[in-house]
Amino acid sequence: MIAETVCSAVSVAGLGIAAVTAYRKRFLRAARIAAYSLVPIGLVMTGVVGWLADTAFSPTAWAGFVVLGGAWLLFAGTRALERRRAGTRKEAEAAPGSKAVAPAASAPSLSPATKPTAARPTTKPTTEDFSDIEAILKKHGI
């Protein structure tokens, strides 16, 4: 009963503000305010406010919300654990059908038909000091 009275008062006050806004020649804003002010009385007339009031004071409804929250926590927790476990190296290496790739094999090999015909000069790559990069990689566990 009190909720219906409060919603009705809010709607009447909103319609009053909309009338003052329309008097100031701001019709678009007045129409928007009127639309917002009609929502509470519409909720009262459809029975949503009564349903919410019955739900808010029902211990069974609150227990249902607690059960729903627990279910959500279980879903979120299992999802987080699943993501965490999927990224481990031990499981990736132990998985059937997975092979470890050697660092030298990271470049794709070309079939004999697609190999370039011009011979490239074979030069050894320059060996630079990569100790700082190795230290950063070791720090991040790579």
Side-chain angles (χ1 to χ4, degrees), residues 18-103:
V20 170
T21 306
Y23 179 75
R24 293 181 180 168
K25 307 280 188 213
R26 298 183 185 263
F27 298 111
L28 185 62
R29 183 173 282 185
R32 193 173 294 132
I33 292 171
Y36 281 125
S37 66
L38 290 174
V39 170
I41 196 71
L43 291 174
V44 168
M45 294 173 80
T46 58
V48 172
V49 173
W51 177 79
L52 284 175
D54 291 340
T55 303
F57 298 114
S58 170
T60 306
W62 283 105
F65 286 126
V66 169
V67 169
L68 287 174
W72 181 83
L73 285 174
L74 282 174
F75 280 127
T78 55
R79 180 73 183 233
L81 286 175
E82 184 178 56
R83 284 184 179 176
R84 178 176 258 178
R85 286 186 181 173
T88 61
R89 282 189 188 172
K90 291 179 183 177
E91 287 185 1
E93 291 174 359
S98 67
K99 305 187 248 182
V101 178

Side-chain angles (χ1 to χ4, degrees), residues 110-123:
L110 299 174
S111 65
T114 60
K115 284 188 179 178
T117 56
R120 292 186 183 170
T122 56
T123 59

